[in-house]
């Protein structure tokens, strides 16, 4: 790696890109880059900071340990992820027990092997060690309740109210008596039982479940064409300390195939929106699917309610991402080797209030249609751009592909040059969900 000395007449990022595009010659334990097209400037070696190298010498020799000829990747997921990894220039698949630089693993491997695996500085892996603090329903609710109390104590009730985006929830069986008390106080309310560890993307019915959560059912969902839906939105976290989170612009609304009614509470095709359930419906159309892209959904809402109302709704959704991540910031083990692509499931009610249903650590990357394939392929390509195994980013980017930097140890402004301080009258967060 090389670092540019200060020169106001030349941009380092441009120089770096030019360096990467110039001819590369493998020479023993070194790689040699031709610098004939670069303007005169000076570079400092990071390994030898006192040494100044003049490009007039025509080349710089760099250690192969610092600039790898290829990225060795490993994954067991045979879906769009494998397609993206195999087609990424300079990336090479590793089989079985071979050494890897990048591993998109499943959470079971993480649980069994993370603590016993040595990782070099450059290595990256696709989950944080205790991701379940946010992705298990009982832990998520516990952390949100704790964080809400903390906000009320430190910032007041108004700030704490910003955490009121999850339905009332009880963990079973340990909170059974609290649930019974609540049930008796409100006998006409509908409750839904969910396994605390299984996500909407995980349909492995052979896994025994011992613990559940009892969650108040949202009985007044916003309907389109008489059908219930929820939103799948993607958030990429690169670090928890400091918190650095990116929001993806694209996502989708998932619809049920059957018109909504509370009279058939046991009909999964009415109440469950995940594709794994809906595609087994007799009325499911595989070509049409049951999804809308977020852009289409946002345009529909704007035509019905006006752009200002929609802007408020999406600002409330942004708040869900930030507050939920902040609720686990101090309990997640922030390892520099880890990143996480979360799949958020958001429900909107008739009052246009968004509710957080769950957060998925392993959102489905299997495509249900050509449009879905294109979305997830772009999502994964942009995820790899942000993870930046190749070392191409400067660290100052606010947008990479379809990702916008939403939080960087504080809110990020959409406008250039505006301090990242919330509370300002003209402050607009750097999010473009559904735009």
């Amino acid at each position: 790696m090389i670092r540019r000395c200060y020169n106001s007449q030349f941009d380092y990022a441009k120089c770096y890109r030019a360096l990467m595009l110039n001819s590369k010659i493998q020479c023993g334990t070194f790689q040699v880059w031709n610098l004939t097209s670069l303007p005169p400037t000076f570079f400092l070696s990071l390994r030898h900071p006192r040494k100044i190298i003049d490009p007039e010498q025509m080349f710089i020799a760099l250690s192969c340990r610092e600039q790898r000829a290829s990225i060795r990747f490993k994954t067991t997921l045979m879906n769009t992820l494998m397609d993206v990894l195999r087609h990424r220039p300079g990336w090479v698949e590793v089989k079985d027990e071979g050494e890897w630089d990048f591993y998109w693993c499943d959470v079971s491997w993480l649980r069994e092997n993370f603590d016993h695996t040595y990782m070099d500085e450059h290595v990256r892996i696709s989950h944080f060690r205790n991701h379940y603090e946010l992705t298990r329903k009982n832990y998520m609710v516990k952390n949100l309740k704790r964080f809400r109390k903390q906000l009320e104590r430190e910032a007041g009730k108004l700030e704490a109210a910003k955490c009121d985006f999850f339905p009332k929830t009880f963990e079973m069986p340990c909170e059974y008596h609290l649930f019974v008390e609540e049930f008796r106080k409100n006998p006409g309310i509908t409750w839904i039982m969910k396994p605390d560890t299984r996500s909407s993307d995980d349909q492995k019915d052979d896994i025994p479940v011992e613990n559940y959560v009892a969650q108040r059912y949202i009985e007044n969902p916003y309907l389109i064409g008489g059908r219930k839906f929820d939103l799948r939105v993607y958030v990429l976290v690169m670090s928890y300390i400091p918190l650095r989170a990116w929001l993806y612009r694209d996502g989708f609304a998932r619809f049920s195939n059957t018109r909504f009614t509370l009279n058939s509470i046991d009909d999964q095709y009415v109440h469950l929106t995940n594709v794994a359930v809906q595609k087994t419906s007799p009325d499911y159309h595989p070509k049409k699917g049951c999804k809308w892209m977020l852009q289409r959904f946002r345009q529909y809402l704007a035509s019905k309610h006006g752009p200002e109302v929609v802007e408020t709704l999406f600002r409330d959704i942004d708040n869900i991402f930030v507050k939920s991540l902040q609720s686990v910031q101090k309990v997640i083990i922030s390892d520099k080797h880890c990143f996480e692509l979360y799949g958020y499931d958001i429900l909107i009610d008739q009052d246009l209030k968004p509710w957080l249903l769950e957060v998925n650590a392993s959102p489905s990357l299997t495509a249900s249609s050509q449009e879905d394939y294109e979305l997830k392929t772009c999502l994964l390509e942009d995820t790899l751009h942000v993870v930046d195994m190749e070392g191409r980013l400067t660290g100052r980017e606010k947008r990479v592909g379809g990702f916008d930097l939403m939080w960087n140890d504080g809110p990020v402004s959409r406008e250039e040059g505006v301090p990242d301080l919330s509370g300002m009258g003209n402050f607009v967060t750097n999010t473009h969900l559904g735009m």
Side-chain angles (χ1 to χ4, degrees), residues 1-37:
M1 184 63 185
I2 55 177
R3 177 181 292 158
R4 173 183 168 269
C5 292
Y6 180 76
N7 184 336
S8 60
Q9 301 301 316
F10 187 65
D11 180 61
Y12 169 67
K14 292 180 181 178
C15 177
Y16 184 79
R17 286 194 292 271
L19 178 64
M20 292 298 100
L21 292 173
N22 268 274
S23 59
K24 203 166 38 173
I25 307 169
Q26 189 71 32
C27 180
T29 59
F30 296 89
Q31 289 176 347
V32 180
W33 277 268
N34 180 9
L35 297 184
T36 53
S37 66

Side-chain angles (χ1 to χ4, degrees), residues 37-259:
S37 66
L38 297 183
T41 186
F42 289 102
F43 292 87
L44 295 181
S45 165
L46 291 187
R47 180 165 290 184
H48 307 288
R50 295 178 180 272
K51 184 178 180 181
I52 298 179
I53 305 173
D54 186 348
E56 295 294 327
Q57 299 172 353
M58 308 303 289
F59 65 86
I60 295 176
L62 299 173
S63 166
C64 284
R65 288 186 61 188
E66 295 170 344
Q67 292 292 337
R68 294 182 176 274
S70 61
I71 307 296
R72 301 165 297 179
F73 75 85
K74 182 177 181 180
T75 187
T76 57
L77 304 179
M78 302 300 294
N79 47 36
T80 53
L81 174 64
M82 183 62 82
D83 293 345
V84 169
L85 291 173
R86 284 177 173 172
H87 287 89
R88 193 166 180 84
W91 287 49
V92 179
E93 185 177 1
V94 171
K95 302 288 188 180
D96 302 325
E97 300 302 318
E99 291 188 4
W100 42 268
D101 306 307
F102 178 94
Y103 189 9
W104 196 296
C105 66
D106 55 41
V107 293
S108 61
W109 183 94
L110 188 85
R111 184 171 55 249
E112 297 169 6
N113 298 281
F114 186 89
D115 293 335
H116 313 292
T117 302
Y118 171 79
M119 299 183 196
D120 287 332
E121 181 80 15
H122 70 283
V123 169
R124 294 294 180 268
I125 194 167
S126 62
H127 295 288
F128 287 93
R129 174 64 182 86
N130 57 335
H131 62 88
Y132 48 78
E133 293 285 352
L134 181 61
T135 58
R136 278 183 58 165
K137 299 177 188 67
N138 55 338
Y139 287 178
M140 180 189 78
V141 171
K142 176 195 69 175
N143 286 312
L144 283 170
K145 287 179 178 178
R146 175 188 49 76
F147 185 61
R148 191 191 189 288
K149 290 179 181 178
Q150 176 187 331
L151 285 178
E152 185 171 353
R153 187 169 59 250
E154 297 176 356
K157 292 184 177 181
L158 191 62
E159 186 67 22
K162 294 180 180 179
C163 288
D164 293 340
F165 51 72
F166 59 99
K168 185 163 287 188
T169 306
F170 298 94
E171 185 177 0
M172 299 295 193
C174 63
E175 293 184 329
Y176 173 76
H177 296 294
L178 294 175
F179 169 67
V180 170
E181 182 180 340
E182 181 70 22
F183 186 84
R184 287 173 176 168
K185 283 196 299 185
N186 301 281
I189 288 177
T190 303
W191 296 81
I192 184 172
M193 297 284 287
K194 302 179 180 180
D196 64 355
T197 56
R198 190 176 298 165
S199 73
S200 63
D201 291 335
D202 185 0
Q203 298 300 314
K204 298 177 181 178
D205 296 328
D206 56 332
I207 301 177
V209 176
E210 296 181 357
N211 296 313
Y212 289 81
V213 294
Q215 190 172 81
R216 182 169 177 171
Y217 190 61
I218 306 299
E219 298 179 342
N220 63 331
Y222 191 96
L223 305 178
I224 297 180
R227 290 169 171 79
K228 180 182 174 182
F229 66 92
D230 66 4
L231 306 181
R232 166 58 58 86
V233 185
Y234 299 98
V235 175
L236 175 62
V237 176
M238 295 302 298
S239 166
Y240 272 99
I241 301 177
L243 181 59
R244 185 174 174 85
W246 299 74
L247 176 63
Y248 202 59
R249 296 186 175 199
D250 296 330
F252 47 82
R254 304 179 298 185
F255 288 84
S256 64
N257 266 305
T258 308
R259 296 178 69 86

Side-chain angles (χ1 to χ4, degrees), residues 303-328:
S303 68
K304 295 275 290 186
H305 304 283
E308 291 184 1
V309 171
V310 174
E311 188 66 33
T312 299
L313 168 62
F314 276 77
R315 190 163 54 244
D316 291 343
I317 294 175
D318 292 343
N319 172 71
I320 290 178
F321 305 139
V322 172
K323 289 293 188 287
S324 61
L325 293 175
Q326 288 178 326
S327 75
V328 297

Side-chain angles (χ1 to χ4, degrees), residues 366-422:
T366 300
S368 58
S369 65
Q370 181 60 34
E371 187 179 44
D372 196 36
Y373 180 85
E374 292 172 1
L375 182 151
K376 289 176 178 175
T377 297
C378 291
L379 166 70
L380 291 168
E381 288 174 348
D382 292 340
T383 297
L384 297 181
H385 292 332
V386 176
V387 174
D388 193 28
M389 293 294 294
E390 298 89 348
R392 294 169 176 160
L393 302 182
T394 66
R396 298 186 296 273
E397 293 82 2
K398 286 187 177 182
R399 179 181 181 183
V400 177
F403 278 107
D404 295 296
L405 184 60
M406 172 177 59
W407 195 270
N408 188 19
D409 201 22
V412 178
S413 169
R414 188 179 297 181
E415 301 298 327
E416 293 293 337
V418 179
D420 293 346
L421 299 172
S422 59

